[in-house]
């Protein structure tokens, strides 16, 4: 049976990603954390960024991954300090009483 | 130990030294000052990890007890607040371990997909809402927090400690009894799973 154009394109992509200085999407996935923490050695960083240029799926995936991380951080903003006026007074009293005991 | 949002790498100031001496002597005014100035953020840390107000209060109480009991061994190579942060996180993790585990869905269902050619399977992102605009909308914050809560606990905790508490990988590894590479793997899997859970929001669809 003939492959659909989409399937054929994916197969060609898969073959291209196995060429020298290329990585597959699966390998790209395993480099993401180190890339975002600027922890990739120069050569790996080069092949990672090369993949990023030519793979639309991974490019969009990484953008969404970053956006999701930022959204998570925003969701906790304002809650990080924990204002002292919201500390129940009986909790403070209990801590001080335990210290005196 | 290095701690994120409250990170201060230099050693303690002379003011802090004087306060610590008063605390060691058990001076009530200094003790009350310490509690009033720090209980708020400690309660916030505990609530984030434990997701339960009563447990969070227990945690802060236990943490202060541990702080007072260990003041003599506080060496001053980190700021007092960083040291207290480690103690309260440790107490929260201990309470978390002692709690009955809830039913969890496997994280594998939320992992990225690859086809037989090792190519990523990802629906086109025609819209990607910005986090800044999303967070302005009512309910977004609650929705995001409840989705984070859907992550299996062993992943949620790593995500919280690394991305929200901004603790170093080595410190998280030490606290959880994991290798650093294991912490990294868990963090990436937690972030990937959360990206999947947040996708409808980020694509501008209603949940």
């Amino acid at each position: 049976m003939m492959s659909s154009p989409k399937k054929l394109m994916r197969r060609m992509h898969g073959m291209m990603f196995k060429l020298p200085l290329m990585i597959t999407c699966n390998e790209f996935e395993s480099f993401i954390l180190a890339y975002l923490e600027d922890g990739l050695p120069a050569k790996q960083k080069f092949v990672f960024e090369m993949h990023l240029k030519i793979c639309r799926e991974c490019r969009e995936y990484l953008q969404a991954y970053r956006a999701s991380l930022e959204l998570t951080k925003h969701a906790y903003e304002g809650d990080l300090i924990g204002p002292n006026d919201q500390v129940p007074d009986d909790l403070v009293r209990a801590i001080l009483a335990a210290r005196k005991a | 130990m290095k701690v994120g949002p409250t990170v201060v790498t230099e050693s303690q100031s002379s003011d802090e030294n004087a306060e610590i001496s008063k605390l060691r002597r058990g001076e009530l005014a200094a003790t009350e000052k310490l509690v009033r100035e720090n209980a708020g953020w400690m309660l916030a840390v505990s609530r984030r990890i434990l997701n339960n107000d009563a447990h969070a209060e227990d945690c802060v109480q236990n943490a202060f007890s541990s702080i007072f009991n260990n003041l003599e061994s506080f060496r001053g190579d980190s700021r007092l607040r960083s040291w207290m942060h480690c103690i309260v996180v440790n107490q929260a993790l201990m309470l978390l371990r002692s709690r009955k585990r809830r039913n969890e869905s496997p994280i594998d269902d939320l992992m990225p997909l690859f086809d037989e050619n090792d190519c990523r399977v990802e629906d086109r992102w025609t819209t990607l809402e910005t986090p800044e605009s999303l967070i302005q909308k009512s309910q977004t914050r609650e929705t995001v927090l409840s989705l984070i809560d859907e992550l299996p606990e062993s992943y949620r905790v790593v995500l919280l400690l690394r991305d929200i508490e901004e603790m170093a990988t080595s410190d998280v590894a030490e606290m959880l009894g994991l290798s650093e590479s294991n912490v990294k793997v868990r963090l990436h899997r937690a972030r990937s799973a959360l990206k999947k859970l947040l996708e409808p929001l980020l694509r501008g669809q209603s949940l």
Side-chain angles (χ1 to χ4, degrees):
Chain A
M1 202 173 80
M2 285 272 285
S3 295
S4 68
K6 205 175 164 189
K7 250 185 159 176
L8 192 64
M9 187 63 91
R10 292 186 72 85
R11 266 185 68 188
M12 282 170 63
H13 259 164
M15 282 160 67
M16 183 172 73
F17 293 151
K18 290 192 174 97
L19 292 171
L21 289 182
M22 295 278 188
I23 49 173
T24 66
C25 300
N26 216 335
E27 288 164 328
F28 176 93
E29 179 72 25
S30 63
F31 290 159
I32 289 178
L33 191 74
Y35 177 75
L36 294 180
E37 291 178 353
D38 209 14
L40 281 183
K43 189 182 167 192
Q44 278 182 349
K45 190 176 175 195
F46 174 81
V47 293
F48 184 92
E49 287 176 344
M50 173 84 93
H51 186 95
L52 203 53
K53 277 195 184 110
I54 57 180
C55 180
R56 191 264 305 162
E57 282 85 353
C58 285
R59 200 164 48 243
E60 291 187 357
Y61 176 87
L62 189 62
Q63 276 172 354
Y65 180 101
R66 282 179 138 143
S68 142
L69 184 55
E70 239 180 277
L71 183 58
T72 306
K73 291 185 178 186
H74 279 310
Y76 281 104
E77 263 168 22
D79 161 59
L80 282 175
I81 304 300
N84 279 317
D85 58 6
Q86 285 177 17
V87 178
D89 216 44
D90 53 353
L91 174 64
V92 175
R93 279 200 299 272
I95 295 166
L96 294 173
R99 176 62 169 158
K100 282 182 211 160
Chain B
M1 246 178 209
K2 203 173 72 172
V3 179
T6 56
V7 145
V8 187
T9 47
E10 66 269 32
S11 59
Q12 70 208 60
S13 64
S14 53
D15 283 357
E16 201 168 274
N17 257 329
E19 282 305 304
I20 292 164
S21 300
K22 288 179 193 168
L23 291 168
R24 284 181 175 147
R25 288 196 297 271
E27 286 188 18
L28 282 179
T31 306
E32 181 160 355
K33 184 168 173 261
L34 182 85
V35 175
R36 293 208 180 270
E37 283 180 358
N38 295 284
W41 68 261
M42 288 169 69
L43 199 55
V45 170
S46 310
R47 278 195 190 121
R48 282 196 288 277
I49 296 175
L50 294 161
N51 267 337
N52 177 303
D53 283 358
H55 292 178
E57 288 189 22
D58 288 347
C59 174
V60 171
Q61 223 173 322
N62 294 348
F64 270 108
S65 162
S66 174
I67 288 162
F68 295 137
N69 289 337
N70 291 289
L71 266 174
E72 289 302 324
S73 60
F74 173 63
R75 294 193 314 269
D77 50 5
S78 65
R79 292 294 293 263
L80 184 62
R81 189 178 161 122
S82 304
W83 180 68
M84 290 168 72
H85 184 267
C86 287
I87 290 180
V88 74
V89 168
N90 256 324
Q91 288 293 337
L93 293 175
M94 273 162 59
L95 270 173
L96 200 62
R97 280 191 280 265
S98 69
R99 267 191 346 202
K100 192 170 174 271
R101 289 193 79 121
R102 57 200 178 144
N103 288 334
E104 295 177 335
S105 311
I107 200 164
D108 291 351
D109 300 346
L110 300 169
M111 290 296 102
L113 297 174
F114 302 92
D115 67 11
E116 67 278 10
N117 306 302
D118 259 356
C119 287
R120 187 182 298 280
V121 180
E122 180 83 358
D123 288 339
R124 274 224 82 142
W125 283 80
T126 47
T127 305
L128 176 58
E129 298 271 346
T130 67
E132 292 78 13
S133 66
L134 276 171
I135 208 70
Q136 302 301 325
K137 297 179 186 166
S138 64
Q139 297 300 312
T140 298
R141 188 173 177 273
E142 288 70 19
T143 307
V144 173
L145 294 181
S146 75
L147 290 171
I148 292 170
D149 199 33
E150 283 185 24
L151 295 175
E153 210 133 270
S154 57
Y155 291 90
R156 186 182 67 87
V157 164
V158 171
L159 183 97
L160 276 180
L161 298 186
R162 284 287 288 107
D163 286 342
I164 307 303
E165 302 300 327
E166 296 184 359
M167 295 176 72
T169 302
S170 55
D171 292 342
V172 176
E174 192 184 320
M175 278 187 171
L176 298 175
L178 299 169
S179 67
E180 287 190 30
S181 59
N182 205 331
V183 169
K184 287 179 185 174
V185 169
R186 281 199 201 181
L187 176 63
H188 180 58
R189 286 170 69 85
R191 286 177 177 177
S192 305
L194 194 54
K195 177 239 166 216
K196 186 78 185 166
L197 290 170
L198 293 174
E199 260 195 49
L201 269 183
L202 291 167
R203 288 182 186 275
Q205 302 157 352
S206 53
L207 282 172

